[in-house]
Amino acid sequence: MESLKGNLIVSCQALDDEPLHSSYIMSKMALAAKVGGAKGIRSNSVEDIKAIREEVSLPIIGIIKRNYDDAEIYITPTMKEVDELMQVKPEIIALDATTSKRPGGESLDDFVKKIREKYPEQKLMADCSTLQEMIHADEIGFDFIGTTLVGYTTQSKNLKIEDNDFELIRNALSKIKYPMIAEGNIDTPKKARRVLDLGCFSVVVGSIITRPQLITKRFVDEIKK
């Protein structure tokens, strides 16, 4: 994990309805990220992780996005997804660690306990959206605390990760003991540099590097103003 410290992790993901949805394309995206200097990859699905591993040997944060009718969360929501990811053993498994509704009404604490009992050596990352969630994830022993879902949940809809010079990150770092991985709307090199300067262990950047349709839209929206 030390190779990730102070460095960039690139999120290489494309969902079913996106133009670049393809394990092959994601593997090449990961290779391009490595060539550019990235030291880690965040990837969604067993298939993509397998393909990426054929191209690069960088540490992987693995997730599976799956919707459940009785839940609000979708990032590695149950043991089923954890078991699937363990077929390819990503260095880190990330999962939703927010207070949003979970499948079957299961608590985050119980879910993490089950993972630890079954896979005691597996590193876990908490995808959080509020300061309180980050503190709780730290208390129950996640190996990494992430800002992944800031602004994407009901409880964080008025939050922006960059507000007041990343005040949320600064507050969290003063209260947690486990390493923080900054992620979510970090869309410029300066922002990435800043969160590392503040003390984050590493930084994940995704859409602004790997989703060309969203990059294009930013240009078009500005042109149309």
Side-chain angles (χ1 to χ4, degrees), residues 56-71:
V56 303
S57 58
L58 299 176
I60 293 175
I61 301 174
I63 65 170
I64 292 177
K65 291 181 176 177
R66 186 170 288 151
N67 294 312
Y68 285 81
D69 291 340
D70 64 340

Side-chain angles (χ1 to χ4, degrees), residues 8-32:
L8 174 67
I9 299 166
V10 173
S11 182
C12 299
Q13 299 181 47
L15 300 178
D16 294 357
D17 61 347
E18 294 185 65
L20 298 190
H21 178 67
S22 159
S23 294
Y24 172 77
I25 293 174
M26 289 303 103
S27 73
K28 293 302 182 182
M29 196 73 78
L31 178 58

Side-chain angles (χ1 to χ4, degrees), residues 99-167:
T99 57
S100 302
K101 188 178 179 183
R102 307 186 61 82
E106 183 178 37
S107 72
L108 176 64
D109 297 48
D110 287 344
F111 183 40
V112 171
K113 183 179 179 181
K114 288 178 183 177
I115 299 173
R116 294 299 193 197
E117 289 173 350
K118 193 169 185 179
Y119 305 112
E121 301 302 317
Q122 178 61 46
K123 300 292 186 184
L124 300 178
M125 174 177 170
D127 287 347
C128 302
S129 70
T130 68
L131 176 61
Q132 291 71 28
E133 292 166 353
M134 295 171 200
I135 293 171
H136 182 66
D138 190 71
E139 290 172 345
I140 62 176
F142 275 88
D143 300 284
F144 299 94
I145 310 301
T147 60
T148 318
L149 294 170
V150 174
Y152 293 102
T153 62
T154 300
Q155 60 271 26
S156 69
K157 62 183 179 181
N158 295 320
L159 293 177
K160 290 185 179 179
I161 193 171
E162 70 269 27
D163 282 351
N164 301 314
D165 187 25
F166 298 97
E167 181 179 21

Side-chain angles (χ1 to χ4, degrees), residues 189-203:
K190 285 185 177 180
K191 289 180 185 179
R193 176 72 264 168
R194 181 57 178 155
V195 297
L196 292 174
D197 287 344
L198 289 173
C200 288
F201 180 80
S202 55
V203 56

